[in-house]
């Protein structure tokens, strides 16, 4: 949830929503076309993994599109990208892999990663600028004197029995064998 | 009359609806003088609490003047000024007699629905879900008070609406959150959330004599108000809550932890919160328990975790191993409002505290829908909204 909603949508926000649609599309392709995609890269045995990635992309896409603050979701995408790159990296050393195509996929993911990182960073920055404009309620204590002077003024209050800390957990004086 | 009505997620409108009427001998009708928007209303507005119906009248923090009473209400008369607790109470059942008013056994007219969701029924609440009776709320020109002979707090002469309005909800809520921590003079109390409830909890912890009060949020103006009340503050956008709390307590953790955030906790860039959001989106989990996880982890062994923040259903990945092995005590609940109001009213009269400090916006009922958005999005420095229906 955003802490400050802006009247106009900054560019990063629009990019984030765009990436949300991209995630949905990519997720659908991975989920539905896992088999052919795996075959294309020569990574047939990773079909289930690709499908799982599809599910993740869709969740991220929904997040980016439905949340009022896409910031955390953008960092989620960045995390996903890192994972993708790591897996593609190991796939490169896979003897069955269609190396050219895996390299192509890696380059594509790397490109998207750059966009993701830039977008996530600028969302963060715009949020920081937002919170620079701030209201100060430093004079609203609600207390007649300083908090230090008011500390303990209500100690006359007797905590009802059912709300006291269990006796066993009270500060205890072992030597005197009674609560402090 | 005009009333703020719920029409779905993010859709509250100021509608014209029929005036309420006396339906039972224990009823009363009041003409609203002031009502407020509460953080719990936001959970309904964002539709995280199930059991709302199109057209439900919102609002559970309100006060006004009695204009009509049922035949068996003998302790109220037309013209009396009353604050209405958000929990409707019969005053006679076993739970009411124990002072556990928010779990009154008789006032929830949808008791079987509640029992299905929670195992047993809880009290009827104004302007809340049909799980708690679906009673019309008080963000309206008039409201019917069921069980009016027990469900009220009389306002003595000489106090303004603003001074006493919050006796109906957030002041006793912040107070009970701290009372159930059983504060010792050596205690550090950590309070998550500097919304209206957190602000009341901070003042309560100071008055009840805690050594150190630490307040956590990420909204600068809310943190500034927390500081004004005597709290040391942590901005969770800027620093690690766990590290800082340990640092403020010589590595031992706060003895008492209070969750004044509830099920819509947000967290910046933490992995658990991203997972929670995804699960919530696909309905694998209804609530986001980031704050609970943090509290259980950081709370000092043998400490108390107090949860006034509202949760509605299911949560995941709770480090219960920490709770069990550290021997933590968990206390929670909707507030037993009337258990505290007499004492708190006296403290307001004696000038120990003036709860009106928290009000940042006062508007008419027609501006209510817009104010929901302002309050939810923390725009315009908004912390607490008071509506004046007449
Ligand atoms: N138990 C009761 O009877 C009772 C009564 C009233 C309100 N409530 C509940 O208390 C909670 C707070 O109410 P409010 O009116 O103050 O609402 P609010 O929404 O104004 O305040 C919540 C605050 O928590 C902050 N927050 C969000 N995530 C956080 C995190 N991870 N760490 C620290 N702070 C975080 C938000 O920035 C906000 O300032 C709500 O859940 C509400 O439903 C309970
Ligand atoms: Zn409330
Ligand atoms: Zn009862």
């Amino acid at each position: 949830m955003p802490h400050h909603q802006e009247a106009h949508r900054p560019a990063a926000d629009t990019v984030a929503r765009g990436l949300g649609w991209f995630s949905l599309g990519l997720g659908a392709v991975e989920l539905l076309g896992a088999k052919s995609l795996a075959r294309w890269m020569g990574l047939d045995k990773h079909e289930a993994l690709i499908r799982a990635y599809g599910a993740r992309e869709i969740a991220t896409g929904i997040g980016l599109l439905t949340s009022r603050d896409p910031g955390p979701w953008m960092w989620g995408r960045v995390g996903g990208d890192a994972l993708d790159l790591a897996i593609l990296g190991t796939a490169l050393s896979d003897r069955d892999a269609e190396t050219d195509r895996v390299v192509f996929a890696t380059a594509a993911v790397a490109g998207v990663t750059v966009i993701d990182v830039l977008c996530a960073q600028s969302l963060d920055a715009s949020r920081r600028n937002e919170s620079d404009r701030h209201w100060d309620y430093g004079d609203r204590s609600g207390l007649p004197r300083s908090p230090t002077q008011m500390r303990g003024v209500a100690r006359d209050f007797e905590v009802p029995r059912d709300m006291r800390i269990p006796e066993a957990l009270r500060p205890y004086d072992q030597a005197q064998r009674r609560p402090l | 009359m005009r009333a703020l009505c719920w029409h779905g997620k993010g859709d509250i409108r100021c509608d014209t609806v029929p005036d309420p009427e006396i339906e039972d001998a224990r009823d009363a009708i009041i003409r609203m003088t002031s009502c407020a928007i509460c953080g719990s209303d936001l959970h309904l507005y964002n539709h995280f609490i199930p059991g709302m119906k199109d057209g439900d009248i919102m609002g559970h923090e309100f006060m006004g003047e009695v204009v009509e009473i049922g035949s068996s209400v003998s302790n109220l008369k037309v013209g009396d000024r009353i604050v209405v607790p958000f929990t409707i109470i019969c005053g006679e059942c076993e739970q009411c007699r124990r002072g556990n008013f928010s779990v009154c056994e008789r006032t929830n007219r949808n008791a079987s629905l509640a029992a299905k969701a929670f195992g047993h029924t809880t009290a009827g609440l104004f302007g809340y879900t049909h799980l708690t009776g679906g009673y019309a709320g008080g963000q309206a020109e008039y409201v019917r008070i069921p069980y009016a002979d027990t469900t009220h707090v009389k306002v003595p002469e000489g106090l303004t609406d603003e001074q006493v309005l919050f006796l109906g909800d957030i002041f006793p809520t912040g107070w009970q959150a701290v009372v159930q921590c059983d504060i010792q003079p050596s205690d550090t109390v950590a309070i998550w959330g500097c919304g209206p409830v957190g602000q009341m909890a901070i003042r309560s912890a100071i008055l009840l004599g805690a050594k150190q009060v630490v307040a956590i949020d990420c909204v600068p103006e809310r943190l500034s108000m927390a500081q004004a009340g005597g709290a040391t503050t942590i901005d969770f956008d800027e620093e690690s809550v766990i590290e800082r709390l340990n640092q403020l307590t010589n590595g031992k953790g706060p003895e008492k932890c209070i969750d004044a955030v509830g099920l819509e906790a947000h967290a910046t860039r933490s992995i658990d919160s991203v997972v929670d959001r995804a699960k919530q989106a696909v309905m694998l989990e209804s609530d986001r328990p980031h704050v609970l996880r943090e509290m259980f982890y950081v709370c000092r062994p043998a400490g108390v975790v107090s949860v006034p923040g509202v949760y509605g259903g299911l949560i995941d990945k709770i480090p219960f191993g920490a709770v069990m092995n550290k021997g933590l005590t968990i206390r929670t609940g909707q507030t037993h409002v009337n258990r505290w109001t007499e004492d708190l009213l006296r403290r307001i009269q004696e000038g120990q505290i003036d709860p009106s400090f928290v009000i940042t916006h006062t508007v008419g009922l027609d501006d209510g829908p817009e104010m929901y958005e302002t309050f939810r999005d923390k725009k315009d420095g908004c912390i607490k909204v008071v509506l004046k229906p007449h």
Side-chain angles (χ1 to χ4, degrees), chain B residues 74-295:
Chain B
S74 54
N75 55 354
L76 282 178
K77 57 180 192 314
V78 170
D80 278 352
R81 217 170 134 228
I82 60 173
V83 173
V84 181
F86 74 95
T87 44
I88 305 172
I89 58 176
C90 78
E92 295 153 354
C93 71
E94 194 180 314
Q95 293 291 4
C96 279
R97 276 185 277 128
R98 289 168 186 253
N100 295 334
F101 295 119
S102 73
V103 289
C104 168
E105 295 167 336
R106 296 202 347 215
T107 51
N108 186 350
R109 55 187 175 181
N110 296 332
S112 61
L113 210 62
K116 274 209 190 81
F118 302 136
H120 299 89
T121 186
T122 56
L125 306 180
F126 287 101
Y128 212 58
T129 137
H130 286 260
L131 289 178
T132 54
Y135 291 98
Q139 286 161 11
E141 289 180 290
Y142 297 89
V143 69
R144 176 178 79 94
I145 320 286
Y147 300 89
D149 52 340
T150 37
T151 308
H152 72 258
V153 180
K154 267 195 204 156
V155 181
E157 297 271 317
L159 293 171
T160 64
D161 274 24
E162 283 67 20
Q163 281 175 295
V164 293
L165 173 62
F166 304 134
L167 282 173
D169 184 349
I170 56 167
F171 186 21
T173 295
W175 180 261
Q176 179 177 313
V178 177
V179 165
Q180 59 194 11
C181 287
D182 192 2
I183 299 299
Q184 311 292 312
S186 51
D187 278 348
T188 293
V189 185
I191 299 172
W192 278 255
C194 300
V197 171
Q199 300 294 343
M200 295 298 159
I202 291 166
R203 275 68 179 176
S204 302
I206 293 286
L207 291 174
L208 288 164
K211 185 180 89 188
Q212 177 172 236
V213 180
V214 187
I216 303 146
D217 207 304
C218 65
V219 184
E221 62 272 18
R222 293 183 177 216
L223 290 169
S224 73
M225 190 183 270
Q227 236 158 23
T232 304
T233 56
I234 302 179
D235 179 342
F236 69 79
D237 256 354
E238 304 288 327
E239 49 191 340
S240 154
V241 173
I242 305 234
E243 273 172 31
R244 188 76 203 292
L245 282 175
N246 277 324
Q247 185 198 341
L248 287 166
T249 52
N250 295 322
K252 288 169 175 253
E255 287 93 338
K256 309 291 158 70
C257 295
I258 296 176
D259 171 356
V261 178
L263 62 89
E264 293 183 62
H266 43 227
T268 325
R269 264 165 277 153
S270 82
I271 295 178
D272 72 316
S273 75
V274 174
V275 174
D276 281 335
R277 269 168 191 268
K279 283 193 178 166
Q280 216 173 31
V282 294
M283 293 193 279
L284 283 173
E285 177 178 54
S286 56
D287 306 354
R288 296 200 298 260
H290 175 76
V291 169
L292 292 178
R293 292 186 190 121
E294 216 158 58
M295 292 201 301

